[in-house]
Amino acid sequence: MREKTVWIVLDNVQNCDERTLDTLDHLTDILQEQKINSGLVLAFNEDFLFQGTKAEQLGRRISALSARKPEQYQTYLLHDFHQAEALEYLRACLSCRKPGQTPEATE
């Protein structure tokens, strides 16, 4: 991940098995410690995110990181997400702009 830009995008992270969640947690550590041009986009469906699960713990950890390091981590809470909004959100994530922000504002 150091020589190339790599983005890992996962939806429904709450459904991942424990090994995958451990890997994502470890990748979060790597991204936090290293200066690399790569990242994770993790989407959780809060309707199926149960307290005390590894997925919920990972979500809380990322939320805490975004509060401490907003330049490095971002969290968004979305309600009634439709397909067009999902595409807008992914484009925004991959272009390093906030949803609703015009592409010109990031240049």
Side-chain angles (χ1 to χ4, degrees):
M1 285 174 46
R2 288 185 183 152
E3 290 134 22
K4 294 185 178 185
T5 299
V6 176
W7 282 89
I8 299 171
V9 180
L10 291 174
D11 192 12
N12 291 315
V13 174
Q14 75 282 349
N15 294 334
C16 291
D17 62 28
E18 289 198 20
R19 180 176 280 169
T20 302
L21 293 166
D22 287 340
T23 301
L24 293 172
D25 195 45
H26 181 67
L27 284 172
T28 302
D29 289 335
I30 291 171
L31 292 171
Q32 183 176 341
E33 296 165 1
Q34 311 264 331
K35 297 257 183 195
I36 54 179
N37 191 25
S38 297
L40 295 170
V41 177
L42 304 177
F44 297 82
N45 183 336
E46 288 194 326
D47 292 335
F48 301 103
L49 188 61
F50 301 109
Q51 189 169 359
T53 62
K54 280 198 176 216
E56 188 264 341
Q57 292 167 2
L58 177 61
R60 275 191 292 121
R61 179 172 182 230
I62 292 169
S63 291
L65 286 168
S66 71
R68 286 196 330 260
K69 297 181 177 186
E71 70 285 349
Q72 193 173 357
Y73 296 91
Q74 297 288 313
T75 58
Y76 299 95
L77 183 58
L78 307 166
H79 301 281
D80 299 324
F81 212 38
H82 300 287
Q83 185 173 2
E85 294 164 323
L87 291 173
E88 155 74 20
Y89 177 71
L90 286 174
R91 285 187 191 112
C93 288
L94 297 175
S95 68
C96 299
R97 63 184 170 89
K98 294 183 179 182
Q101 182 182 22
T102 61
E104 299 82 34
T106 59
E107 296 173 357

